[in-house]
Amino acid sequence: MMSAAAEQRAMLKEVQQADFVVVELTLYTNTHSNDEEALEQWRLAIKEAARARKAYEKRYGPLSLLSVPSEQAIEMGWRWNQPPWPWQM
């Protein structure tokens, strides 16, 4: 069984990996705008990154100021100055 901290790190890693894929596909499609397969992969990657981010934020709170706090984060009384911060994981 995975510890709570290990599970949080794994979920954060999933968000980071999904975001990386979006960035890489964005760079590729900027120079290969006629590659329909890549454009479809880019669309799917954006959806997957949003799904991973939403799952993480629902459980642990917002990752950035651009994130709208989830109901759970509001109920927990989320405070930005409470460790650990995402980069401290």
Side-chain angles (χ1 to χ4, degrees):
M1 183 169 188
M2 194 181 298
S3 72
E7 189 172 338
Q8 184 175 5
R9 282 192 300 274
M11 288 184 77
L12 183 58
K13 185 176 180 180
E14 184 180 349
V15 170
Q16 293 168 331
Q17 289 171 335
D19 285 347
F20 177 82
V21 171
V22 170
V23 169
E24 290 298 305
L25 285 170
T26 299
L27 293 172
Y28 179 82
T29 56
N30 282 344
T31 59
H32 299 80
S33 59
N34 293 326
D35 187 338
E36 290 299 323
E37 183 179 343
L39 289 169
E40 183 58 27
Q41 288 177 2
W42 175 75
R43 289 181 192 101
L44 293 173
I46 288 173
K47 290 177 185 175
E48 175 58 23
R51 184 210 57 78
R53 182 175 301 280
K54 184 176 181 179
Y56 181 93
E57 290 179 340
K58 182 176 182 181
R59 189 157 187 185
Y60 301 109
L63 285 168
S64 74
L65 290 173
L66 300 176
S67 300
V68 176
S70 67
E71 289 179 25
Q72 183 179 8
I74 292 169
E75 289 171 12
M76 291 182 342
W78 177 264
R79 302 288 185 270
W80 281 103
N81 61 353
Q82 291 178 347
W85 289 32
W87 55 86
Q88 294 175 319
M89 296 301 301

